[in-house]
Amino acid sequence: MIDKEIFKLCKKFGSEYDVDPYLIFGIIKTESAGNEYADSGYARGLMQMSRIALKDIQKDLLHKYKYSDLFKPEINVEVGTIFLKKMITYWKKKYDENYLSISLAILSYAWGITNSIKWLKSVADNSQIDESIPEKKKYYNENVMFWMSFARERFNA
């Protein structure tokens, strides 16, 4: 899918669920590079939604989507945005600081909220902070921020 079409979906669902469309775009580009048919074996589509995440947000959806529906860009971005909103809401209740709550929401989107909570509780000193995060997830937030910045420049924020 081309970036312009992806960003239209980001704007649509960002507005509908009160999530920054640039953040949604950043996650899409980090997760799937904009490939609507991306399939890791564990997750699929633009926002790389898993069966577990889909099941987790089914109660929040008006429609009951199947896992096979996640290759459809509009459905995938809606499901992914609702899931991301859950992560943001959780961390904003815990930490009022916007940057901290958004950063932890992004990490939780990639690594899971349970892993993120355990990480915050288990680290005892500076030497353990990045040692505790899997290599594949260490630069996830930076990648998302890069793509958010890219989108702001490209789509005239």
Side-chain angles (χ1 to χ4, degrees):
M1 242 179 124
I2 62 170
D3 289 348
K4 192 173 182 180
E5 292 172 359
I6 292 170
F7 192 69
K8 280 184 184 178
L9 290 174
C10 297
K11 282 178 59 175
K12 175 182 178 180
F13 292 113
S15 175
E16 189 170 332
Y17 295 104
D18 192 30
V19 176
D20 182 347
Y22 299 102
L23 175 56
I24 299 166
F25 184 87
I27 287 177
I28 288 170
K29 293 298 277 190
T30 300
E31 287 286 345
S32 69
N35 177 1
E36 64 198 273
Y37 301 108
D39 190 342
S40 68
Y42 175 74
R44 57 178 44 164
L46 289 169
M47 294 187 79
Q48 286 295 281
M49 295 306 303
S50 67
R51 289 179 194 275
I52 293 167
L54 178 62
K55 185 177 179 183
D56 184 42
I57 59 123
Q58 281 288 15
K59 62 187 171 294
D60 301 321
L61 291 167
L62 297 176
H63 309 287
K64 295 296 179 197
Y65 296 127
K66 298 177 287 207
Y67 190 60
S68 58
D69 291 331
L70 294 177
F71 285 125
K72 298 173 184 166
E74 189 147 342
I75 291 171
N76 188 282
V77 176
E78 180 178 24
V79 169
T81 301
I82 293 168
F83 186 73
L84 177 59
K85 176 72 174 187
K86 281 187 81 160
M87 300 298 106
I88 293 169
T89 300
Y90 174 84
W91 289 111
K92 279 194 174 181
K93 284 180 185 172
K94 192 160 181 70
Y95 302 113
D96 199 26
E97 302 92 356
N98 195 46
Y99 176 77
L100 178 59
S101 59
I102 295 297
S103 293
L104 289 168
I106 293 168
L107 181 64
S108 296
Y109 186 93
W111 194 26
I113 199 160
T114 303
N115 288 327
S116 299
I117 292 167
K118 284 180 188 175
W119 172 68
L120 290 172
K121 290 181 179 180
S122 69
V123 173
D125 63 51
N126 284 343
S127 68
Q128 296 175 331
I129 292 171
D130 70 339
E131 302 294 320
S132 303
I133 297 177
E135 197 64 39
K136 282 179 76 174
K137 303 302 179 193
K138 279 188 184 178
Y139 302 106
Y140 188 87
N141 283 36
E142 288 84 351
N143 290 341
V144 170
M145 285 188 288
F146 171 85
W147 287 113
M148 287 176 71
S149 176
F150 171 89
R152 286 188 188 282
E153 293 293 323
R154 182 111 186 253
F155 304 116
N156 302 322

